[in-house]
């Protein structure tokens, strides 16, 4: 007991010292001009560039990825890449505000179903158009926000930079290394708050990297990093000088912070009587569905899209908040069996990797125990495929986020039109979470569905809807807000409250709609698509993923024609 009290006293001293530094930093931040803030963000970008290799390789070793494995590419793309693009665009947004304009000055705005104003998030530049050819994304604003309002309201906390918001606490994620740093940027810029970051203990190896990459913010006294477990998190959330909390994690962790634990916590939650008395925002994951619209697919289409689905589940060993977990297919699709056969093969063939995230093996075993039919897959049998058919409707895989390499498949009846309508209704009523959803549809079938397809997309109440793409691409898109569909509240938090990333500082976003090519190049051209994009480097089957990921980061550090050619040379060997 004495040792515990001593540890708590030491933690309290560290926290109090960090808070005192940040109070001083907040005063300086309030006086810092917008151009000076933009310059600071560019310093962060330079710091990230300086430690990008250390970042990617440290993350790879932390996750048990073998040296030289193509899987290292995941850590280049889900680590330094996201910070390089976010800091660059955030700095540009501040420059536009400093010039008396809007962050949306010069951006492309349009209109979506239901009269919603849209903002193009991808591609925004010639570089993005070339490097991500065939991918495009729009941010749909909430109904009633017109183009003029969208431009006038963009900027969030930087519209009135002297009105700082106190100290924001970021309880960092333990799975994707870019998340804690991106959340720090969201608190600092969108929230206009100085920040104390407590990384998840799982990320302990990354703390020295964060200290280097975010060093300019630390030296400016607008960021402090404090390590520790749940007890340190509890002290921080209860600290009188903390004005806001942001957590990336699970709904259970959110509820423990907001309402407490045990019987008291359950009672408070039932009464919607939070113990936490300051605002909290959150990104909490959920069950991410993959709707497979029936069509006439070639053998190459079946194989490619099976690898696509396998990637959605197996990227980062399944430890992603938007890892695809539930495949919904038509029981009347003539190609159903062939697609599932390709899916089994794709899951089996994906490179072996450890289930590195704590508790993954236990959660996978729980999924096996909760479903009467479960197939152990993969080189070492750690992957679980649940082919449940029509009987899978209402199964635990629809409501339990396993955060492990577990993939369920259920059937709904119908042809393309009736199946799509049924699938949209099903995910709305039965499937847990509203963070992200994926829809796979071949171009001919989408044309046949016409406006009905667009209306189905509008009815999908998810923070990100990805069509022929994985929602993880939107996560990596700096201009796209990231978070659950709006409308959750503390006692029913779902996939979370609020949005992060959002480097255009858009106010009033409803969701992001991302589109990718149904087929990779060169088959895309033969199929009538304009995409020149090869097999994506984030595919778990991409043989050159490590080289492509590294070269993409090197390109964004210092763009040049030579480096762009190097990206494509690597990507086309995937």
């Amino acid at each position: 007991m004495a040792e515990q009290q001593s540890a708590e006293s030491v933690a309290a001293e560290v926290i109090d010292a960090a808070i005192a530094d940040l109070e001083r930093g907040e005063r300086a931040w309030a006086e810092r001009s917008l151009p000076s803030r933009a310059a600071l963000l560019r310093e962060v970008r330079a710091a990230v560039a300086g430690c990008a290799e250390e970042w990617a390789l440290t993350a790879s070793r932390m996750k048990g990825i073998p040296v030289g494995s193509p899987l290292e590419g995941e850590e280049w793309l889900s680590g330094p890449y996201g910070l390089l693009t976010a800091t660059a665009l955030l700095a540009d947004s501040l420059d536009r505000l400093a010039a008396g304009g809007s962050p949306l000055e010069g951006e492309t705005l349009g209109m979506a179903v239901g009269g919603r104003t849209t903002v193009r998030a991808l591609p925004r530049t010639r570089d993005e158009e070339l490097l991500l050819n065939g991918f495009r994304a729009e941010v749909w604003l909430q109904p009633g926000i017109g183009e003029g309002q969208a431009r006038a309201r963009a900027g969030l906390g930087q519209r009135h930079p002297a009105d700082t918001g106190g100290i924001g606490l970021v309880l960092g994620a333990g799975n994707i290394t870019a998340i804690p740093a991106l959340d720090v940027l969201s608190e600092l810029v969108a929230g206009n708050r100085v920040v104390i970051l407590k990384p998840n203990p799982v990320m302990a190896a990354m703390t020295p990297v964060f200290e280097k990459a975010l060093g300019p913010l630390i030296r400016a006294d607008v960021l402090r990093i404090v390590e520790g477990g749940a007890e340190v998190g509890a002290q921080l959330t209860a600290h009188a000088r903390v004005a806001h909390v942001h957590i990336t994690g699970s709904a259970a962790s959110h509820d423990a912070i907001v309402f407490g634990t045990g019987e008291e916590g359950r009672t408070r939650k039932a009464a919607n009587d939070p113990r936490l008395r300051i605002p909290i925002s959150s990104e909490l994951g959920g069950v991410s569905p993959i709707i497979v619209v029936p069509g006439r697919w070639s053998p190459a289409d079946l194989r490619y899209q099976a690898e696509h689905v396998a990637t959605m589940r197996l990227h980062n060993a399944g430890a992603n908040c938007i890892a695809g977990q539930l495949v919904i297919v038509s029981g009347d699709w003539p190609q159903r069996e062939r697609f599932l056969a390709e899916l089994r093969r794709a899951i089996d063939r994906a490179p072996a990797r450890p289930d590195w995230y704590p508790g993954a093996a236990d959660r996978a075993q729980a999924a096996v125990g909760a479903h009467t039919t479960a197939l152990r897959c993969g080189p070492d049998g750690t992957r679980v495929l649940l082919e449940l058919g029509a009987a899978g409707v209402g199964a635990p895989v629809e409501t339990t986020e396993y955060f492990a390499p577990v993939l369920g498949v259920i059937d709904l009846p119908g042809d393309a039109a009736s199946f799509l309508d049924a699938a949209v209704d099903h995910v709305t009523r039965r499937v847990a979470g509203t963070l992200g959803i994926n829809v796979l549809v071949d171009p001919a079938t989408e044309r046949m569905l016409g406006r009905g397809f667009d209306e189905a997309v509008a009815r999908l109440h998810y923070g990100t809807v990805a069509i022929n793409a994985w929602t993880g691409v939107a996560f990596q898109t700096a201009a796209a807000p990231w978070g659950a569909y709006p409308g959750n509240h503390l006692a029913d938090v779902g996939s979370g409250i609020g949005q992060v990333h959002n480097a255009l500082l858009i106010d009033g976003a409803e969701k992001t709609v991302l589109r990718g090519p149904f087929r990779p190049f060169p088959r895309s051209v033969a199929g009538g698509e304009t995409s020149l994009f090869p097999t994506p480097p984030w595919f778990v089957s991409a043989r050159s993923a490590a080289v492509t990921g590294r070269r993409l980061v090197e390109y964004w550090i210092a763009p040049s024609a030579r480096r762009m050619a190097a990206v494509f040379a690597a990507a086309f060997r995937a």
Side-chain angles (χ1 to χ4, degrees), residues 188-573:
L188 180 66
V189 182
N192 204 26
R193 289 181 282 267
V194 295
V195 187
I196 188 163
L197 166 65
K198 191 195 83 65
N200 190 303
V202 176
M203 286 272 178
M206 288 298 300
T207 297
V209 179
F210 292 151
E211 290 173 342
K212 292 178 183 178
L214 302 176
L217 304 183
I218 295 171
R219 291 188 289 275
D221 290 331
V222 297
L223 171 66
R224 286 294 180 269
I225 301 176
V226 175
E227 294 187 284
E231 71 287 346
V232 173
Q235 290 185 55
L236 285 165
T237 56
H239 201 286
R241 289 294 291 122
V242 170
H244 181 267
V245 178
H246 178 79
I247 178 174
T248 300
S250 68
S253 297
H254 168 274
D255 288 351
I257 293 168
V258 173
F259 298 108
T261 58
E263 186 59 35
E264 179 193 358
R266 288 188 289 273
T267 300
R268 281 185 172 276
K269 183 176 178 180
N272 196 16
D273 178 23
R275 183 179 64 179
L276 185 72
R277 298 300 183 182
I278 57 175
I280 182 171
S281 56
S282 51
E283 192 264 80
L284 307 173
V287 173
S288 293
I290 306 163
I291 297 174
V292 181
V293 182
R296 295 180 64 183
W297 295 10
S298 71
D301 294 338
L302 292 166
R303 184 167 55 254
Y304 176 79
Q305 292 300 346
E307 291 180 357
H308 200 176
V309 172
T311 292
M312 296 178 195
R313 178 68 268 183
L314 299 180
H315 183 280
N316 199 33
N320 285 331
C321 51
I322 35 80
Q325 182 172 295
L326 181 70
V327 181
I328 305 174
V329 299
S330 170
D332 298 320
W333 186 25
Q335 294 180 296
R336 174 189 177 278
E337 289 302 326
R338 293 177 64 188
F339 175 71
L340 293 185
E342 289 290 355
L343 182 57
R344 290 182 216 112
R345 281 192 282 270
I347 293 173
D348 275 330
R349 286 195 302 256
R353 67 191 307 164
D355 286 344
W356 70 276
Y357 200 83
D362 291 339
R363 290 189 293 276
Q365 184 56 44
V368 171
H371 301 85
T372 56
T373 59
L375 177 65
R376 285 282 188 176
C377 307
D380 50 9
T382 59
R383 299 158 192 171
V384 177
L385 181 61
L386 308 168
E387 294 185 22
L388 305 174
V393 172
V397 74
E398 293 193 326
T399 54
T400 304
E401 181 187 16
Y402 286 108
F403 219 66
V406 175
L407 183 66
V409 183
I410 67 165
D411 291 2
L412 295 177
D415 60 8
S418 60
F419 165 81
L420 180 58
D421 285 341
V424 171
D425 290 341
H426 184 82
V427 298
T428 300
R429 292 184 292 108
R430 292 182 176 269
V431 178
T434 61
L435 185 63
I437 188 169
N438 314 273
V439 181
L440 303 180
V441 58
D442 67 273
T445 300
E446 183 178 347
R447 286 193 296 270
M448 181 272 293
L449 291 169
R451 185 172 176 81
F453 183 82
D454 297 333
E455 291 173 346
V457 170
R459 290 196 292 126
L460 288 170
H461 287 186
Y462 284 82
T464 297
V465 178
I467 302 161
N468 294 331
W470 177 37
T471 50
V473 179
F475 171 87
Q476 292 284 64
T477 301
W482 182 255
Y485 191 82
N488 294 328
H489 55 87
L490 290 181
D492 185 14
V493 73
S495 290
I497 298 170
Q499 296 165 332
V500 289
H501 306 183
N502 189 16
L504 286 174
L505 303 176
I506 296 167
D507 188 18
E510 180 182 71
K511 62 184 174 186
T512 297
V513 177
L514 167 73
R515 285 181 171 269
F518 180 74
R519 301 177 178 93
F521 181 83
R523 291 193 304 110
S524 56
V525 177
E529 297 179 278
T530 58
S531 174
L532 300 178
F533 203 80
T535 299
W538 53 86
F539 268 39
V540 292
S541 56
R543 292 171 295 177
S544 61
V547 178
T548 307
R550 176 191 286 268
R551 289 182 176 174
L552 274 166
V553 168
E554 290 172 347
Y555 177 82
W556 286 114
I557 288 173
S560 71
R562 179 182 60 82
R563 287 188 167 183
M564 181 173 286
V567 171
F568 281 108
F572 276 97
R573 293 199 302 269

Side-chain angles (χ1 to χ4, degrees), residues 105-122:
E105 204 76 39
E107 301 295 330
T108 302
L109 275 64
M111 194 73 69
V113 173
R116 292 172 175 82
T117 299
T118 63
V119 180
R120 181 188 293 174
L122 184 76

